[in-house]
Amino acid sequence: MTGAIGFSFNNFSLLEPLKGGAGQLFNFNLEFGQANRYRTISLGFTEPWLFDDPTTLGFNLYDQRIIYSPIDLRRTGFGLNLGRRLRWPDDYFRVDGGVRIQRNNVGTGYSNYYRPGITTEFALVGSISR
């Protein structure tokens, strides 16, 4: 059996969660499947107008477990995103950046990509978009 349960509030308010209307994004997702061989849990929050300015700040927490013979892999991580709408060359340009830290725990098994043990990944991401 496989499945997913999730919800997103696209007009969430952290200060008044039951009223909403602040434009903040809040999401939760749970995915599971194949007789407990796969599970992912994630939680995220984004503030699109930080300090009444067109600056976006958000975070995402996640935990993933994959058991696929012979590999037993668990990934736990945290991501932080920061973005800003630009005025030049026009109002539709954005610059976004982020950092992600992920801990990989491979319990058993071997493949070309994973060896048993604990490793840490660190990623910096940036983009300019219109």
Side-chain angles (χ1 to χ4, degrees), residues 8-130:
S8 267
F9 295 106
N10 294 327
N11 198 15
F12 187 71
S13 174
L14 192 60
L15 298 177
E16 296 177 342
L18 299 177
K19 284 189 173 184
Q24 299 166 338
L25 307 171
F26 178 74
N27 56 52
F28 172 81
N29 195 30
L30 169 65
E31 298 176 22
F32 53 91
Q34 296 184 353
N36 206 23
R37 287 190 210 173
Y38 177 80
R39 177 196 41 82
T40 299
I41 300 172
S42 66
L43 177 71
F45 178 80
T46 300
E47 169 59 67
W49 280 80
L50 188 64
F51 306 118
D52 293 325
D53 199 47
T55 301
T56 303
L57 178 66
F59 75 90
N60 186 31
L61 301 167
Y62 60 92
D63 184 57
Q64 182 180 56
R65 180 80 187 265
I66 301 169
I67 301 172
Y68 187 73
S69 183
I71 297 171
D72 182 357
L73 172 64
R74 182 172 184 184
R75 296 177 180 152
T76 305
F78 173 82
L80 185 64
N81 302 311
L82 182 65
R84 176 130 176 109
R85 190 177 69 205
L86 302 175
R87 292 181 180 222
W88 183 88
D90 61 37
D91 289 344
Y92 298 105
F93 275 82
R94 289 190 54 84
V95 61
D96 292 283
V99 61
R100 186 188 79 215
I101 300 171
Q102 177 175 297
R103 180 177 180 250
N104 301 313
N105 185 354
V106 181
T108 59
Y110 171 82
S111 77
N112 292 332
Y113 302 106
Y114 299 108
R115 296 189 191 334
I118 296 173
T119 59
T120 302
E121 292 181 37
F122 180 78
L124 292 173
V125 180
S127 69
I128 297 175
S129 60
R130 182 178 192 280

